[in-house]
Amino acid sequence: MAKIFMKVTDRFRQLQSRERKLIILSIPLLALTTIVAILAPLIDQRASLSDELVALNTDMVWLVEQREVVQRLNSGCASRDIMDGSSREKLNKLSRRNQIRLESVTNSSGLIKVSFSGSDANRSLQMAHQIACSGFKIESFSLARLSSSELKGSMEVAVSES
């Protein structure tokens, strides 16, 4: 190591004075350039990560504000309270709300069999959706047209455990 240092100093002494001044002035510039070359990407990366953190925090705040909406989207049901009363009473209320006539409601081995009639298939499907959103699980559903103005349907529902 000492040999290399001696060769460099001998070579430096052989240079003219203006060359020595140029080298002496260029060493700090070279050091400064090296430091900037090392630090610039780190500073850029820090700024980028800082911007990303701000964006993610903004998204997190928005998600927290939208939590209720997201929970409703999970089930597809509007945020309505589940009605009080027995299963039969709930089914009666939902059929009346949708202008559907309940013909029979019977309990059989944990399933509730519901027969109904009406004039509008959309109301029947809307009633089935509301039943599913009211704490029931629809196991089967059928709907048939008896005449141009009369539909007959049946479904089997179970009380949902959730």
Side-chain angles (χ1 to χ4, degrees):
M1 187 70 146
K3 257 185 180 182
I4 295 173
F5 185 69
M6 289 299 285
K7 282 184 182 181
V8 171
T9 54
D10 285 341
R11 185 85 167 134
F12 185 73
R13 286 186 194 134
Q14 292 174 359
L15 297 174
Q16 295 178 7
S17 72
R18 68 178 178 174
E19 292 172 336
R20 279 184 261 172
K21 287 179 185 176
L22 184 64
I23 290 175
I24 291 171
L25 289 175
S26 66
I27 289 175
L29 290 175
L30 181 63
L32 183 63
T33 304
T34 304
I35 290 171
V36 168
I38 291 172
L39 292 180
L42 296 174
I43 292 170
D44 289 344
Q45 183 180 20
R46 185 183 189 293
S48 172
L49 289 174
S50 179
D51 292 344
E52 186 176 348
L53 178 65
V54 169
L56 289 174
N57 281 335
T58 303
D59 290 347
M60 182 62 88
V61 167
W62 182 83
L63 282 174
V64 167
E65 290 171 355
Q66 301 301 318
R67 188 181 98 203
E68 195 174 301
V69 173
V70 172
Q71 286 175 339
R72 278 186 298 185
L73 292 175
N74 187 31
S75 68
C77 296
S79 64
R80 65 174 83 108
D81 295 327
I82 295 178
M83 296 179 266
D84 291 331
S86 69
S87 297
R88 183 180 293 271
E89 290 171 349
K90 290 179 189 178
L91 293 170
N92 278 329
K93 286 179 186 176
L94 290 170
S95 67
R96 282 188 302 227
R97 181 182 298 162
N98 290 287
Q99 300 174 348
I100 302 290
R101 290 179 304 281
L102 280 187
E103 295 177 357
S104 68
V105 178
T106 57
N107 285 334
S108 159
S109 67
L111 288 177
I112 302 171
K113 295 182 181 183
V114 180
S115 296
F116 57 92
S117 62
S119 60
D120 187 357
N122 288 334
R123 289 187 188 268
S124 300
L125 292 175
Q126 186 175 11
M127 180 183 73
H129 173 75
Q130 291 173 0
I131 286 172
C133 289
S134 296
F136 294 96
K137 180 179 178 188
I138 298 177
E139 299 291 336
S140 68
F141 181 86
S142 66
L143 191 61
R145 183 166 296 282
L146 294 178
S147 67
S148 62
S149 63
E150 188 69 22
L151 295 167
K152 182 154 178 75
S154 65
M155 67 174 83
E156 291 181 341
V157 298
V159 177
S160 179
E161 298 179 16
S162 58

